Amino acid sequence: MQELDCYSGNDMMYVATDCIVFGFSSDELKLLIFPRRVEPNKGAWSLIGSFVTLDEDVDSAAQRVLEQITGLEHVFFEQLKTYGAADRDSGYRCISVAQYALIRIGEYDRELVEKHGAYWYKLDEVPPLCLDHDQMVRDALTELRRKARYQPIGFELLPEKFTLPQLISLYEAIYQKKLDPRNFRKKILSLNVLTKLEEKDKSNSKKGAYFYKFNSENYKRLLESGYHFEL
Amino acid sequence: MQELDCYSGNDMMYVATDCIVFGFSSDELKLLIFPRRVEPNKGAWSLIGSFVTLDEDVDSAAQRVLEQITGLEHVFFEQLKTYGAADRDSGYRCISVAQYALIRIGEYDRELVEKHGAYWYKLDEVPPLCLDHDQMVRDALTELRRKARYQPIGFELLPEKFTLPQLISLYEAIYQKKLDPRNFRKKILSLNVLTKLEEKDKSNSKKGAYFYKFNSENYKRLLESGYHFEL
DNA sequence: ACAAAAGTGTTACGTGTACACCCATGA
DNA sequence: TCATGGGTGTACACGTAACACTTTTGT
């Protein structure tokens, strides 16, 4: 059909997608990693990933991987960067589209995770990973920090109902520094993107902390009004 | 050598890289585009790009493309995003790693550009492009705007020696709005990343405007001191 | 009553923003 | 001398950052 096309004579290669999966529990950011079960680098720690097939979108491949491992259909994930060094994979030429994902620890299917031999590591205790996965994690963390300042993605790491002390602790974990609870409250509440619930969480104190949930309608309205969100 | 490897049975595909090339002249942001010379979509307007070969990094491929078209060895470019929809290319499965590049119009080799049939279009007059290239341009512009606020990449679009009125006009073009010259000067000069030269540019006024150049040592020091650069 | 975490208000300071005039020069 | 663009300073508003005490309640 095509007289002169642009494909013939060019090289084909494998395309993979790898997921940097973050979670949050016990006031710590965690990373989900796996012992690799195939050569090359069998046995080494690795991010979870998969090859992209001919008939699926790159993003669908990431979604498939995340669903396989967590059992959750809707997980927040976003493209981080593509790693395309010619020598990045010692086996055969393969580029990887890295995605970072934020999941609510507790909501995913523990069995599924354990079946894959996965472990949650505290971010500062992650062992060396195979290939260029260490670099991916560093880049994802940088991106998470950047992004969390301008967009309320932090909520993806918390249960649907969360308390302000939890939220503060999350941001402290992301930025690795103490925040002033008064100023933090003032700022986040002034944005009008949190809905206060009647219910209290008494698991951490006698007094109990009110639950809030994220109000995405108000957030949308805030964005539409041209507001420059920042935490 | 490997008993069970992870490659066999998986799909291979073409990997391309496409470049969104921005320039700045006559107080306007410009985009460099090309009439496509191969099927599919022969004749349609297109970004410049190329397939990635088996033995080159994805980024090297972008560099190669940019050098071919501009004749310049050192051009600022950065990965934008990877476009990996299964149906994005009507010919054969192909994903594209998009890169955006900033070049100094005037420094590149005009003959090379013309030989390829390239044109500089004002951003708001760009004709429809083939495949998903329109989306790439929109995304690149969003990224350029974001990035220019936090990193001094704007200088990549100006000659080495430039005047403050030129710089203001560049930022006005990027953000599509008037800026207050007094406030802009105050801010940019307070960062100490510009070196004032003795020489004046008299091409736009009788009085003449002082030339400045970007001081990358001071900029590095500024970053190392943990400063949160913002324009 | 006391321990432990949740919640609240004020002030000082720096940064961003709005705004109008003088300067230098070539024609 | 005048027209043109280049360059400067100040006052006010706002947001950020620093800081300490009261409240609630289970034990």
Side-chain angles (χ1 to χ4, degrees):
Chain A
M1 193 148 162
Q2 293 152 198
E3 283 186 301
L4 168 70
D5 79 29
C6 57
Y7 306 104
S8 43
N10 285 298
D11 299 333
M12 289 201 280
M13 54 190 86
Y14 295 108
V15 174
T17 186
D18 287 301
C19 297
I20 299 103
V21 181
F22 292 112
F24 179 68
S25 68
S26 315
D27 294 341
E28 302 256 16
L29 270 186
K30 306 281 175 64
L31 180 72
L32 190 63
I33 56 176
F34 304 78
R36 203 171 146 103
R37 287 206 282 231
V38 288
E39 293 295 351
N41 303 104
K42 186 170 174 177
W45 288 103
S46 165
L47 297 171
I48 186 72
S50 168
F51 287 105
V52 177
T53 64
L54 270 183
D55 59 359
E56 80 184 336
D57 299 343
V58 171
D59 292 346
S60 309
Q63 200 158 355
R64 168 170 59 75
V65 164
L66 288 168
E67 188 172 341
Q68 274 168 10
I69 201 69
T70 65
L72 301 175
E73 267 187 66
H74 300 292
V75 168
F76 173 91
F77 72 98
E78 209 163 76
Q79 226 188 80
L80 173 64
K81 194 184 159 179
T82 293
Y83 293 76
D87 60 359
R88 62 173 292 280
D89 193 316
S90 56
Y92 193 82
R93 181 66 196 271
C94 173
I95 75 166
S96 172
V97 182
Q99 320 259 359
Y100 67 100
L102 306 180
I103 85 164
R104 308 182 212 272
I105 294 188
E107 280 191 24
Y108 65 93
D109 184 328
R110 278 167 203 283
E111 271 186 55
L112 269 178
V113 171
E114 282 159 19
K115 201 174 69 194
H116 288 84
Y119 286 97
W120 284 105
Y121 272 93
K122 290 183 196 173
L123 265 183
D124 47 12
E125 297 177 357
V126 174
L129 306 178
C130 67
L131 306 181
D132 46 7
H133 290 192
D134 287 317
Q135 186 62 44
M136 291 182 184
V137 173
R138 278 195 296 275
D139 292 346
L141 193 54
T142 301
E143 179 61 14
L144 175 61
R145 292 200 171 117
R146 194 190 67 70
K147 193 108 182 171
R149 260 219 302 284
Y150 306 110
Q151 281 179 42
I153 55 174
F155 301 107
E156 304 289 343
L157 290 162
L158 292 175
E160 205 189 340
K161 296 190 295 188
F162 54 87
T163 66
L164 287 186
Q166 275 183 293
L167 187 60
I168 294 174
S169 138
L170 168 62
Y171 274 85
E172 287 178 338
I174 293 178
Y175 294 124
Q176 300 280 17
K177 68 171 182 182
K178 282 280 163 202
L179 299 175
D180 182 314
R182 287 162 296 199
N183 292 336
F184 187 88
R185 275 163 187 275
K186 207 187 315 173
K187 192 156 186 179
I188 191 80
L189 290 177
S190 75
L191 294 174
N192 259 320
V193 295
L194 297 186
T195 305
K196 187 177 186 174
L197 307 180
E198 292 303 311
E199 197 184 352
K200 277 188 165 188
D201 169 23
K202 296 213 171 187
S203 62
N204 286 307
S205 74
K206 323 284 172 82
K207 184 178 179 179
Y210 282 104
F211 278 119
Y212 287 78
K213 56 180 195 184
F214 181 61
N215 185 326
S216 45
E217 287 76 34
N218 278 7
Y219 174 62
K220 255 181 240 156
R221 244 176 281 144
L222 186 68
L223 284 188
E224 281 161 11
S225 75
Y227 185 79
H228 178 61
F229 181 92
E230 184 157 0
L231 268 183
Chain B
M1 194 148 162
Q2 293 153 199
E3 283 185 303
L4 169 69
D5 78 28
C6 57
Y7 307 104
S8 42
N10 285 297
D11 299 333
M12 289 200 281
M13 52 190 86
Y14 294 107
V15 174
T17 187
D18 287 303
C19 297
I20 300 102
V21 181
F22 292 111
F24 179 68
S25 68
S26 315
D27 293 340
E28 302 257 17
L29 270 186
K30 306 280 175 67
L31 178 72
L32 190 62
I33 57 176
F34 305 78
R36 200 169 148 104
R37 287 207 281 231
V38 289
E39 292 296 349
N41 305 106
K42 186 170 173 176
W45 287 104
S46 165
L47 297 171
I48 185 74
S50 167
F51 286 106
V52 177
T53 65
L54 271 183
D55 60 357
E56 79 184 336
D57 300 343
V58 171
D59 291 347
S60 309
Q63 200 158 356
R64 168 170 59 77
V65 165
L66 288 168
E67 188 172 341
Q68 274 168 10
I69 201 67
T70 65
L72 300 175
E73 267 187 66
H74 300 293
V75 168
F76 172 90
F77 71 99
E78 210 163 76
Q79 227 189 78
L80 172 64
K81 194 183 159 181
T82 293
Y83 293 77
D87 60 359
R88 62 174 291 281
D89 193 318
S90 56
Y92 192 81
R93 181 67 196 272
C94 173
I95 74 166
S96 171
V97 181
Q99 320 258 0
Y100 67 100
L102 306 180
I103 87 166
R104 308 183 212 272
I105 295 188
E107 281 192 22
Y108 66 93
D109 183 329
R110 277 166 204 283
E111 270 187 54
L112 269 178
V113 170
E114 282 159 18
K115 201 174 65 192
H116 288 84
Y119 286 97
W120 284 105
Y121 272 93
K122 291 183 195 175
L123 264 183
D124 47 12
E125 297 176 357
V126 174
L129 307 178
C130 67
L131 305 182
D132 46 7
H133 289 192
D134 286 318
Q135 187 61 43
M136 292 182 183
V137 172
R138 279 194 295 274
D139 293 346
L141 193 53
T142 302
E143 179 62 13
L144 174 61
R145 291 198 171 119
R146 195 190 66 70
K147 192 107 183 172
R149 261 219 300 285
Y150 306 110
Q151 281 179 40
I153 55 173
F155 301 106
E156 304 289 344
L157 290 162
L158 292 175
E160 204 188 342
K161 296 189 294 186
F162 54 87
T163 67
L164 287 185
Q166 275 183 293
L167 187 59
I168 294 174
S169 138
L170 168 62
Y171 275 83
E172 286 179 338
I174 293 177
Y175 295 124
Q176 298 281 18
K177 68 172 184 181
K178 283 279 164 205
L179 299 174
D180 183 313
R182 286 162 296 199
N183 294 336
F184 187 89
R185 274 163 187 277
K186 205 188 314 173
K187 191 156 189 181
I188 191 78
L189 290 177
S190 75
L191 295 174
N192 258 321
V193 295
L194 298 187
T195 304
K196 188 176 184 174
L197 307 179
E198 292 303 310
E199 197 184 350
K200 277 188 164 187
D201 169 24
K202 298 212 169 185
S203 61
N204 287 307
S205 74
K206 326 284 172 80
K207 183 178 179 180
Y210 282 105
F211 278 119
Y212 286 78
K213 55 181 196 183
F214 181 61
N215 184 328
S216 44
E217 287 77 34
N218 278 8
Y219 174 62
K220 256 182 239 159
R221 244 176 279 145
L222 187 68
L223 284 187
E224 281 162 11
S225 75
Y227 186 79
H228 179 63
F229 180 92
E230 182 157 1
L231 266 183

